[in-house]
Amino acid sequence: MPPPADIVKVAIEWPGAYPKLMEIDQNKPLSAIIKEVCDGWSLPNHEYYALQHADSSNFYITEKNRNEIKNGTILRLTKSPAQNAQQLHERIQSSSMDAKLEALKDLASLSRDVTFAQEFINLDGISLLTQMVESGTERYQKLQKIMKPCFGDMLSFTLTAFVELMDHGIVSWDTFSVAFIKKIASFVNKSAIDISILQRSLAILESMVLNSHDLYQKVAQEITIGQLIPHLQGSDQEIQTYTIAVINALFLKAPDDRRQEMANILAQKQLRSIILTHVIRAQRAINNEMAHQLYVLQVLTFNLLEDRMMTKMDPQDQAQRDIIFELRRIAFDAESEPNNSSGSMEKRKSMYTRDYKKLGFINHVNPAMDFTQTPPGMLALDNMLYFAKHHQDAYIRIVLENSSREDKHECPFGRSSIELTKMLCEILKVGELPSETCNDFHPMFFTHDRSFEEFFCICIQLLNKTWKEMRATSEDFNKVMQVVKEQVMRALTTKPSSLDQFKSKLQNLSYTEILKIRQSERMNQEDFQSRPILELKEKIQPEILELIKQQRLNRLVEGTCFRKLNARRRQDKFWYCRLSPNHKVLHYGDLEESPQGEVPHDSLQDKLPVADIKAVVTGKDCPHMKEKGALKQNKEVLELAFSILYDSNCQLNFIAPDKHEYCIWTDGLNALLGKDMMSDLTRNDLDTLLSMEIKLRLLDLENIQIPDAPPPIPKEPSNYDFVYDCN
């Protein structure tokens, strides 16, 4: 007979004694279990003891997490969190350097446990650590030369403990003094500092900036971009990652009127060029966290365009009107200007109207009216002027080429530029906050100081080329824009390393090539609309949906690793969730690191019966998406979020690693609840499988006899003389 579900068999260790095998009744209070263990070893004062996992985590067992204990778990009897915290609080103030160093090392390790952290913080431990950082470093300054390794390790462990304690979110970041911030900043500003100290100092500064507006202002006063730049020129990618993270945090939290000023400083310090040389083109692979930070920097840089994108042109503003005059002058400068003394104002206006028509503006009389739509607002005019000044030959050629065509065949430069700018802003998501889960940076945007403008210049020439290839007329304008968008998107997915490479990718994606790709995709997804085919589809669709449902459930049985998002993203914490083979229970639990394959059910501590699930919600309806955070309320994270609601107020919150996993899980959970699978992935799979099944059923099999049984396996040959021995 199997043991009751509430009884767990474990081994318990105690230093100097043989491990004890014991059955733990999960219905008994934890204090009673600890007393029983202590009595077995004749240890008095059981309230001074606690149980913790004997693995590398060393996490304490509490009433909240005791259900994570599984059969075969090895536990350790140890001092209670309160006792440990009290003793460490005293030990780190020891006058002995060796004792102090050992205590700080233990503190750095134990601080990862939230139970211990709470007890240490209750003793005002955070204040003690900050005082040690502020004043303790000076006290040992004289010893630094003769005891440099010891000093470096001591400070490193102190900062590590501080970071781990703060990561639990128990203490507000707003409580720290200017002296502490100055001290942390001084470690970053030093040219020669221990790597571990620099790393933790950068992590502290990033968290300060992201979690407190007041601290952002103080950190911004202490840290300059010029002081951060040297850390990017080293060879340690982790230090480079933390450095870019601090720059991103300062960028993200800067007031709107300060961001452009900060961007100018970054340009002066040649940040882009340094990142390109020492990070992107360095002779090593870029890890996921670095890719994420580069993506965030890319997004924040492009978001500087939002102000111009959302600014309407004022038709009465002479400075803005002068830009349009300049576009006309560059294009038609060779033509003779009317003499003011002999030419009438009417004649002059007539000539301007004619030229504005050639430039492709919708409003020939007052082109300023074309720029009153936002987006793209004034950004489109900025792009046009940049193209006219920096690629003058190409600009003049496009304008004159189109002005010499018939009216219906001309590609209107003005209208095209406005729509193209709007399209590029949509592709690059200008104005949206960066996603916490995205690593999608494009190396080519780090190769030029005016990368967006150069991007536009390449694309406007592509648009003109595609227009000619399509032999388009004004009625085809939207079709041309759709083709250009497809060309640009396909070229971007190849992640070109430079703008020139992007240009060459577009050369290979001519209109003819796009037609071939579309034709190929259409053949793969051909949709027959005749009545018999539709009836056949209707008949076989339930079978296909059942097949998709089984695939989704099989994927849930395999399980998926999800990442826990926290304020300090680099300290990735993972958890795994999978469905039991009988489809009745969801097993889930925390992991130390991302797994290489499937995680067995036994190692997942928690479980949720499928019968207890009340609903599955997605996007902004999820409880964890209703919380406010610096980067939380953005479109991409919302699109990957889903939650399982169970019992009265309980929920299991997910952020899928990508859109594919999001669709798999939401489909699978809906299938478990007997609801329809509504994801885009299901629609695509259904279309593909239906198309394949219909094509198979419509194959011309006349006069072909399909056997009911597989053909027999032939007998073995009498000898193998025909086999050639290579040896």
Side-chain angles (χ1 to χ4, degrees):
M1 182 176 175
D6 295 327
I7 302 298
V8 184
K9 295 182 178 181
V10 299
I12 301 177
E13 298 175 343
W14 172 250
Y18 286 108
K20 181 178 292 187
L21 296 176
M22 186 173 178
E23 290 187 351
I24 291 179
D25 185 351
Q26 292 285 37
N27 292 319
K28 287 176 68 176
L30 191 58
S31 57
I33 295 169
I34 293 170
K35 184 177 187 305
E36 186 180 337
V37 174
C38 290
D39 290 346
W41 276 311
S42 303
L43 298 172
N45 303 321
H46 72 275
E47 62 272 14
Y48 293 159
Y49 294 91
L51 293 172
Q52 66 178 179
H53 288 281
D55 58 17
S56 58
S57 70
N58 292 328
F59 286 167
Y60 280 101
I61 304 298
T62 65
E63 290 290 354
K64 286 184 180 179
N65 65 20
R66 62 183 295 177
N67 290 329
E68 297 175 6
I69 304 173
K70 302 298 175 187
N71 281 320
T73 301
I74 301 176
L75 303 178
R76 181 189 299 119
L77 185 67
T78 185
K79 297 170 191 169
S80 70
Q83 284 287 106
N84 234 337
Q86 182 65 50
Q87 290 180 10
L88 275 174
H89 193 273
E90 294 167 1
R91 285 170 58 203
I92 61 176
Q93 299 178 74
S94 168
S95 57
S96 164
M97 290 284 282
D98 290 338
K100 194 183 189 82
L101 180 63
E102 196 60 34
L104 287 168
K105 184 178 179 181
D106 292 343
L107 179 63
S109 174
L110 283 168
S111 294
R112 293 183 297 120
D113 183 276
V114 66
T115 312
F116 170 84
Q118 184 68 68
E119 295 292 345
F120 189 77
I121 288 168
N122 289 344
L123 296 172
D124 212 14
I126 294 280
S127 296
L128 177 60
L129 292 179
T130 55
Q131 287 167 18
M132 289 172 64
V133 172
E134 289 172 26
S135 59
T137 50
E138 273 102 2
R139 189 186 307 166
Y140 298 109
Q141 203 75 30
K142 294 177 181 177
L143 298 172
Q144 190 173 359
K145 289 182 181 178
I146 57 173
M147 302 184 69
K148 193 169 182 180
C150 180
F151 170 79
D153 289 344
M154 189 179 296
L155 185 54
S156 174
F157 288 135
T158 305
L159 294 177
T160 301
F162 175 83
V163 168
E164 294 291 353
L165 290 168
M166 291 303 298
D167 197 36
H168 296 297
I170 299 168
V171 178
S172 168
W173 283 93
D174 287 309
T175 57
F176 298 108
S177 66
V178 175
F180 179 69
I181 298 169
K182 284 180 180 290
K183 183 59 67 176
I184 297 296
S186 72
F187 301 144
V188 173
N189 294 337
K190 283 181 182 176
S191 56
I193 190 77
D194 185 83
I195 291 292
S196 59
I197 295 172
L198 176 59
Q199 184 190 88
R200 285 150 184 78
S201 298
L202 287 166
I204 291 168
L205 290 177
E206 183 200 3
S207 295
M208 283 179 171
V209 172
L210 289 176
N211 289 288
S212 168
H213 178 69
D214 290 340
L215 289 186
Y216 154 74
Q217 294 176 321
K218 292 170 184 174
V219 171
Q221 290 171 359
E222 298 298 327
I223 293 288
T224 65
I225 301 300
Q227 291 161 335
L228 292 171
I229 292 290
H231 301 311
L232 291 173
Q233 295 170 314
S235 57
D236 190 309
Q237 188 172 113
E238 197 163 0
I239 293 297
Q240 291 175 325
T241 304
Y242 276 88
T243 303
I244 297 176
V246 172
I247 293 171
N248 286 337
L250 290 167
F251 215 144
L252 185 68
K253 288 296 182 177
D256 293 342
D257 57 340
R258 278 271 301 139
R259 281 186 190 167
Q260 189 57 57
E261 182 185 335
M262 187 174 171
N264 294 337
I265 295 170
L266 294 178
Q268 289 170 10
K269 299 294 182 182
Q270 298 183 319
L271 176 72
R272 177 199 59 77
S273 177
I274 289 167
I275 288 176
L276 182 67
T277 304
H278 296 279
V279 178
I280 296 174
R281 291 182 177 170
Q283 298 301 310
R284 61 173 180 269
I286 292 176
N287 61 35
N288 286 339
E289 182 53 34
M290 174 59 86
H292 172 74
Q293 294 301 339
L294 290 172
Y295 152 79
V296 172
L297 183 59
Q298 173 185 292
V299 171
L300 294 176
T301 304
F302 283 143
N303 281 356
L304 293 170
L305 303 168
E306 184 183 12
D307 184 49
R308 294 294 282 173
M309 182 181 79
M310 301 308 293
T311 300
K312 294 181 179 181
M313 185 170 184
D314 180 1
Q316 308 305 317
D317 188 319
Q318 188 59 42
Q320 294 178 0
R321 290 167 65 87
D322 286 345
I323 298 175
I324 298 176
F325 292 148
E326 182 68 6
L327 288 172
R328 182 202 155 277
R329 185 195 67 75
I330 294 171
F332 305 112
D333 190 47
E335 298 186 12
S336 58
E337 290 284 345
N339 191 307
N340 285 337
S341 58
S342 59
S344 66
M345 183 62 72
E346 288 299 321
K347 188 175 179 182
R348 191 182 185 85
K349 281 185 178 179
S350 174
M351 187 189 71
Y352 279 6
T353 301
R354 183 198 68 200
D355 290 348
Y356 291 146
K357 185 174 185 295
K358 289 180 181 178
L359 279 169
F361 290 113
I362 297 172
N363 194 316
H364 309 149
V365 178
N366 186 7
M369 299 303 296
D370 287 14
F371 299 96
T372 54
Q373 179 192 357
T374 57
M378 288 295 292
L379 184 60
L381 189 57
D382 294 343
N383 284 339
M384 292 166 72
L385 183 63
Y386 181 90
F387 181 49
K389 285 189 169 182
H390 294 83
H391 300 270
Q392 197 170 109
D393 291 344
Y395 167 69
I396 293 171
R397 187 182 69 252
I398 287 175
V399 172
L400 296 183
E401 256 183 28
N402 287 294
S403 62
S404 63
R405 291 182 191 151
E406 293 178 45
D407 282 356
K408 67 175 185 176
H409 282 289
E410 68 175 359
C411 176
F413 173 73
R415 182 185 175 194
S416 299
S417 298
I418 291 167
E419 289 301 319
L420 180 64
T421 301
K422 182 179 178 182
M423 185 184 82
L424 297 182
C425 287
E426 288 172 359
I427 290 173
L428 298 176
K429 300 181 179 177
V430 175
E432 292 187 20
L433 282 172
S435 162
E436 285 188 351
T437 57
C438 187
N439 302 332
D440 188 27
F441 84 98
H442 293 277
M444 73 177 194
F445 291 130
F446 290 85
T447 61
H448 201 285
D449 288 328
R450 304 288 294 273
S451 58
F452 183 80
E453 289 86 344
E454 288 292 326
F455 185 42
F456 168 83
C457 293
I458 293 169
C459 293
I460 193 66
Q461 294 177 74
L462 168 72
L463 193 153
N464 191 62
K465 173 174 169 281
T466 303
W467 184 283
K468 287 189 288 186
E469 290 172 350
M470 292 177 68
R471 298 178 181 177
T473 63
S474 53
E475 287 82 11
D476 301 320
F477 185 86
N478 290 335
K479 290 180 183 176
V480 176
M481 293 304 296
Q482 287 172 6
V483 173
V484 170
K485 184 173 185 178
E486 188 172 345
Q487 289 170 314
V488 172
M489 293 290 284
R490 287 184 184 277
L492 283 177
T493 54
T494 64
K495 293 291 179 71
S497 59
S498 67
L499 290 163
D500 286 337
Q501 197 177 90
F502 174 67
K503 196 185 296 184
S504 78
K505 296 280 184 189
L506 290 175
Q507 290 292 332
N508 298 328
L509 284 169
S510 63
Y511 176 57
T512 307
E513 186 62 27
I514 291 293
L515 283 180
K516 287 179 183 176
I517 294 170
R518 286 181 173 180
Q519 180 66 21
S520 173
E521 291 175 351
R522 196 177 297 120
M523 286 176 67
N524 292 335
Q525 301 174 2
E526 194 168 5
D527 186 16
F528 302 105
Q529 294 299 323
S530 64
R531 190 170 177 180
I533 300 297
L534 292 175
E535 289 177 358
L536 180 59
K537 266 189 173 184
E538 195 174 328
K539 182 180 177 183
I540 62 178
Q541 184 164 316
E543 300 172 26
I544 302 294
L545 282 172
E546 183 61 28
L547 184 67
I548 294 171
K549 175 183 172 182
Q550 290 306 317
Q551 187 271 340
R552 300 294 191 263
L553 294 176
N554 288 342
R555 279 287 290 104
L556 263 61
V557 170
E558 291 175 17
T560 301
C561 178
F562 298 91
R563 200 184 67 233
K564 291 185 174 181
L565 295 178
N566 57 13
R568 294 191 297 110
R569 190 179 179 277
R570 279 168 306 287
Q571 287 207 344
D572 284 345
K573 296 181 180 178
F574 301 94
W575 68 290
Y576 200 88
C577 187
R578 63 180 298 180
L579 181 65
S580 62
N582 63 5
H583 300 173
K584 291 185 177 180
V585 179
L586 281 172
H587 297 266
Y588 62 96
D590 294 342
L591 302 175
E592 285 295 311
E593 57 186 7
S594 181
Q596 298 301 314
E598 288 184 26
V599 176
H601 296 95
D602 302 344
S603 62
L604 300 174
Q605 307 93 341
D606 301 299
K607 58 185 179 180
L608 169 63
V610 172
D612 290 351
I613 298 176
K614 303 291 187 237
V616 176
V617 293
T618 61
K620 61 184 179 182
D621 295 327
C622 298
H624 58 315
M625 288 294 105
K626 293 177 181 176
E627 303 166 10
K628 290 187 177 179
L631 294 176
K632 191 143 298 203
Q633 296 294 343
N634 67 72
K635 189 177 176 184
E636 289 196 39
V637 173
L638 282 172
E639 287 178 350
L640 298 175
F642 62 98
S643 297
I644 295 174
L645 307 182
Y646 62 97
D647 291 344
S648 53
N649 290 312
C650 299
Q651 70 266 343
L652 196 58
N653 297 321
F654 300 76
I655 294 179
D658 52 50
K659 191 69 178 175
H660 183 268
E661 286 296 320
Y662 169 85
C663 293
I664 291 287
W665 274 85
T666 51
D667 283 345
L669 292 170
N670 281 323
L672 285 173
L673 298 178
K675 297 180 179 179
D676 292 336
M677 299 178 291
M678 305 297 292
S679 75
D680 294 338
L681 184 63
T682 292
R683 282 195 291 273
N684 292 337
D685 287 350
L686 182 61
D687 289 343
T688 303
L689 293 171
L690 269 176
S691 176
M692 288 173 60
E693 184 66 21
I694 286 171
K695 285 177 182 177
L696 284 171
R697 295 196 182 199
L698 294 178
L699 282 174
D700 186 7
L701 299 178
E702 191 176 352
N703 299 324
I704 298 176
Q705 188 68 34
I706 300 177
D708 294 329
I713 299 172
K715 293 180 180 179
E716 287 192 23
S718 57
N719 62 67
Y720 291 88
D721 295 342
F722 56 85
V723 176
Y724 178 72
D725 187 356
C726 297
N727 299 321

